[in-house]
Amino acid sequence: MLTDIQRLQAMDLEVWQLRHPQIYGREQEVIQLPNHCQLLLVCDHALSDQDAWLFGNILKSMKLGAEQARQLPHAALPALGEHHLSWCWYIESPEIIVDGVKSLYSQPLAQMHDNPAAKRDLWRQICQYE
C-alpha cells in the first residue's frame, strides 16, 4: 500500500508544491538554499540549453558563477527558509517578493534572445544597484 508521500513522488511532485501539505500529514517543508547562493531565479519553467547559456552570460556580467545561483518556481517562495541571497530575479510578475534583496524583473529568457531592448532593460536594473 502506497503512502500519500509515495503517491506524490510517483506523480513527480514535492511536498512544497502543494498548497495544503497538511492534508497529507506533512508540514510545508522549508527550502534551504546553500550559503554560497547569491542569486535566486524565480521561474516556473525549466531553462532550455539556449536559455541556460544566456543566463550564464548574464551571471558572468554580474560577476557571479553558476554555482552561486539557484532556480525555484513562484509557488515555492513561501517555503523559502533563511538565506544569504543578494539578488532575486523574477521571470514574469511575482505574487511574493523576497525581502532584503536586490530585485530584478524580466520576461522569460526564451523571449530575450532576440530582443535587445529586453536585455538593455535588465542591464539597467542590474546597474541601478551599483
Side-chain angles (χ1 to χ4, degrees):
M1 178 180 267
L2 293 175
T3 67
D4 290 332
I5 301 304
Q6 290 170 324
R7 281 189 202 105
L8 289 172
Q9 291 170 342
M11 292 185 288
D12 206 20
L13 295 172
E14 298 292 332
V15 174
W16 61 264
Q17 291 175 295
L18 300 175
R19 290 194 187 274
H20 304 285
Q22 65 276 12
I23 292 172
Y24 294 93
R26 299 282 299 256
E27 292 298 317
Q28 184 148 14
E29 293 182 13
V30 175
I31 297 172
Q32 296 294 340
L33 298 175
N35 289 344
H36 62 272
C37 182
Q38 296 293 306
L39 183 141
L40 180 62
L41 178 66
V42 183
C43 178
D44 292 334
H45 305 287
L47 300 181
S48 69
D49 289 343
Q50 190 177 15
D51 295 345
W53 176 83
L54 178 59
F55 182 61
N57 284 340
I58 293 168
L59 287 174
K60 286 179 194 172
S61 73
M62 298 172 72
K63 306 209 181 341
L64 294 173
E67 70 284 351
Q68 294 176 289
R70 294 292 185 274
Q71 178 184 352
L72 284 177
H74 287 87
L77 284 182
L80 185 61
E82 289 188 33
H83 57 79
H84 295 91
L85 293 170
S86 297
W87 299 90
C88 197
W89 178 359
Y90 303 94
I91 302 295
E92 300 179 337
S93 299
E95 291 181 20
I96 297 173
I97 295 178
V98 177
D99 290 329
V101 299
K102 303 168 194 163
S103 297
L104 304 172
Y105 304 90
S106 77
Q107 57 188 268
L109 288 165
Q111 296 175 16
M112 294 179 70
H113 294 287
D114 298 320
N115 188 340
K119 291 176 188 175
R120 250 189 325 272
D121 180 56
L122 180 62
W123 184 246
R124 285 184 186 125
Q125 291 178 60
I126 294 167
C127 291
Q128 81 180 6
Y129 290 107
E130 293 181 356

